[in-house]
Amino acid sequence: MTSSTPEALWSARAARLLRPSAVRCRGLTRTVGRRRLLDGLHLWVPVGARLLLVSSPAESAPLLLRILAGLARRDGGTLQIAGLSQPGPHGWGPRVAFLGRPDGVPRWMTPREALQFSADVTGLDASERQRRCDELLERFGLQTLADRPIGRLSALLAERVGLAAALVSHPEVLLLDEPLSGHGPLERELLLQPLTPRVTTLIASRIPAAQRNVCDQVAFISDGRLALHAGIAELEAEGVPLTREGVEEFAGRRRRPTATRATRP
Amino acid sequence: MTVGIALKELWISFRLLAVLVLFAAAGVLAATAPLLPAIGLSPEGGAAALYARALAVAAAGAAALGGTAFAGERRRGGLGWLAARSIPRSLLLLGWFAALAGLALVGMLPSAMLTWLAMTGEPAFGLRGVSPVVFGVALLAAMADAVAWIAAGLLVGIFLTARLAGAVILLLLAAILLLGTLVPSLATYLPGAGIALLAEASSGSPGLEAGLRAGGVGLLITALLLAVGIVTLRRRDL
């Protein structure tokens, strides 16, 4: 079962008990230079989760997102995203959206062009394309600036264009590296609200507290291995500050999970 | 689609104009060859040799500009943005190659015509019996060399940062030209043989066979470099 499973089946109690995964990593390894940033990482993310990724060293979490997006290679381990085991256009590629830093959106494009291009290459139905672009332009407050080159917009609006372009194709899994970092927390929460409850979001952030109102789970990757995967509510109940140091210290207090499934918050 | 994006990126960064100007300037320079004796200069080999030397500079410049642009796009995240939208990495490289090679060919055609006109204006043109067919084949071989150098530039751009890519590409091409000069027997098999044949076009000496061989070598090297580039880009982080 994946997040594209029909709603009628999702509604069944038996289906909910199956707790399907959107992202499943087993034994993921990757060395960059002389640093082993991922060292046998096991991670299981249920469908609909909004997972905050924090890591020490800080490069591990963004690297994991890039591997999931197919932009970085892995040295070992297996991956399964949205029920599929292969990346690329014939695998999980069309179901995953990635927004990195820098976002890479051509600055000569207008917001409308960027969204229409993304819709076009990701195979969105032609009849749906225009409607979807208009919907996102309005949602992100870009409708009056839709035909101005992104390079002539403010940095904040350019960030919104990147996120809108990532959302245009109705992705099942959203991979975000420090999204909307120039925005305030309330704006960020509003703009990152999932459009459907079954979109799984993974956000890598060096300032975990900035994503507090967006995420409901946190995973801490320490020296390439999963040291903690818990609900944010659990951390708050324990009085753990949502900082990298706080999460790291809390992970040290708990026994490290070994390929366990995340508990629902 | 990727060709359009590459052309737009080159246009925005003024590199498109620079590439066209480099190739056009080669033809303009060759067109001055008949006038140079009037000011006491007599370029050896006439207009064709002058054109070939300027073409080598233009092709090297196009390769360096293309390599730095590609490296810059990789660094800026532009290639990653496209790859994240499930556009195959091979298409990214081929799109950029097609854009740069297309520009080079568009720039070379009018400059080659200027060169031919300049050649016909040289005093000894009629005596040498220069065939337009031979000139045309040598030109095609030079075009194959130019696109091979562009492919080499893109390959370097996959590995290096934009700052280093340009310098390394120019050094590499200079080394190839030097090698061809020092070891003439090897020159036939290096990307640059076609340009060297073009330099001899005024004397009428290069035959069709030599031109076709040089063109074939250029295209083969282009294909090999692109294949290596595709395999490499697939393994690189974007």
Side-chain angles (χ1 to χ4, degrees):
Chain A
M1 285 185 68
T2 69
S3 52
S4 60
T5 301
E7 184 63 41
L9 198 58
W10 265 100
S11 304
R13 180 182 167 80
R16 288 199 298 275
L17 288 175
L18 285 172
R19 302 172 74 184
S21 66
V23 177
R24 192 189 295 262
C25 307
R26 286 200 183 96
L28 208 57
T29 57
R30 174 63 201 271
T31 301
V32 176
R34 293 182 180 182
R35 302 167 75 196
R36 201 165 177 84
L37 294 179
L38 297 175
D39 187 14
L41 178 75
H42 297 289
L43 180 66
W44 183 90
V45 184
V47 171
R50 283 173 283 148
L51 179 67
L52 175 62
L53 285 171
V54 185
S55 64
S56 173
E59 294 85 359
S60 295
L63 176 63
L64 174 62
L65 292 188
R66 298 186 89 80
I67 290 175
L68 295 175
L71 299 185
R73 59 179 173 77
R74 61 184 188 272
D75 293 335
T78 59
L79 279 178
Q80 203 177 64
I81 301 179
L84 299 167
S85 304
Q86 291 295 325
H90 303 295
W92 70 63
R95 301 188 181 197
V96 172
F98 172 73
L99 181 65
R101 290 180 66 82
D103 56 42
V105 183
R107 286 311 190 247
W108 47 266
M109 278 189 178
T110 65
R112 192 184 305 280
E113 287 173 342
L115 265 63
Q116 285 176 343
F117 178 83
S118 296
D120 187 24
V121 297
T122 50
L124 197 65
D125 192 48
S127 57
E128 162 80 350
R129 220 172 278 168
Q130 187 60 47
R131 189 204 65 77
R132 181 66 174 162
C133 291
D134 290 341
E135 176 193 1
L136 287 171
L137 287 170
E138 187 178 340
R139 174 184 153 98
F140 287 94
L142 296 165
Q143 63 271 52
T144 57
L145 300 167
D147 298 311
R148 183 180 293 186
I150 297 168
R152 292 173 57 192
L153 300 178
S154 67
L156 289 185
L157 292 177
E159 283 184 339
R160 295 187 186 192
V161 176
L163 182 58
L167 290 173
V168 74
S169 59
H170 298 288
E172 295 178 29
V173 178
L174 200 49
L175 308 170
L176 308 174
D177 185 2
E178 302 279 8
L180 305 177
S181 57
H183 288 69
L186 291 177
E187 267 185 319
R188 198 181 301 121
E189 180 184 355
L190 193 64
L191 293 171
L192 286 174
Q193 282 302 318
L195 298 175
T196 72
R198 281 191 271 153
V199 172
T200 307
T201 308
L202 279 73
I203 297 179
S205 180
R206 298 183 185 214
I207 308 173
Q211 310 296 341
R212 163 62 193 94
N213 293 330
V214 178
C215 299
D216 56 8
Q217 300 178 19
V218 61
F220 180 64
I221 301 170
S222 174
D223 294 324
R225 298 191 171 209
L226 186 68
L228 175 73
H229 190 174
I232 287 181
E234 182 184 345
L235 267 71
E236 289 183 338
E238 297 278 339
V240 176
L242 198 59
T243 61
R244 198 176 80 171
E245 294 75 20
V247 172
E248 188 169 7
E249 191 267 337
F250 183 68
R253 274 194 270 145
R254 282 181 51 164
R255 192 179 68 175
R256 191 175 74 194
T258 50
T260 57
R261 295 184 170 191
T263 56
R264 289 179 185 259
Chain B
M1 182 186 292
T2 51
V3 176
I5 289 177
L7 284 172
K8 189 76 180 195
E9 290 289 345
L10 290 166
W11 170 253
I12 291 291
S13 59
F14 297 98
R15 289 184 176 104
L16 186 149
L17 210 56
V19 168
L20 288 176
V21 164
L22 278 172
F23 284 102
V28 169
L29 189 65
T32 65
L35 305 172
L36 293 177
I39 56 172
L41 295 171
S42 55
E44 190 182 335
L50 206 56
Y51 180 56
R53 290 185 197 109
L55 195 60
V57 171
L65 286 169
T68 55
F70 196 73
E73 269 304 287
R74 190 170 53 81
R75 176 86 173 153
R76 198 183 61 79
L79 296 183
W81 188 73
L82 293 172
R85 273 143 189 80
S86 299
I87 294 177
R89 296 188 184 201
S90 55
L91 275 186
L92 298 179
L93 181 67
L94 292 175
W96 272 84
F97 171 74
L100 287 161
L103 286 176
L105 298 181
V106 164
M108 281 176 75
L109 284 173
S111 64
M113 284 175 61
L114 273 176
T115 304
W116 175 256
L117 290 172
M119 285 169 67
T120 57
E122 288 174 334
F125 177 77
L127 296 173
R128 293 173 191 158
V130 181
S131 159
V133 174
V134 169
F135 178 79
V137 171
L139 178 66
L140 287 173
M143 285 180 175
D145 286 341
V147 298
W149 289 11
I150 286 170
L154 289 174
L155 183 59
V156 172
I158 292 173
F159 287 102
L160 300 178
T161 61
R163 282 185 184 180
L164 280 177
V168 168
I169 291 161
L170 291 175
L171 284 172
L172 183 68
L173 296 178
I176 289 172
L177 287 172
L178 189 64
L179 185 65
T181 308
L182 294 175
V183 187
S185 58
L186 206 58
T188 319
Y189 304 102
L190 293 173
I195 294 176
L197 280 178
L198 202 58
E200 299 167 16
S202 286
S203 64
S205 58
L208 268 179
E209 186 186 326
L212 289 172
R213 184 170 55 239
V217 166
L219 290 175
L220 181 64
I221 291 174
T222 303
L224 285 172
L225 290 171
L226 287 175
V228 170
I230 288 169
V231 170
T232 308
L233 193 60
R234 281 183 181 155
R235 290 190 53 81
R236 295 282 291 180
D237 290 352
L238 291 181

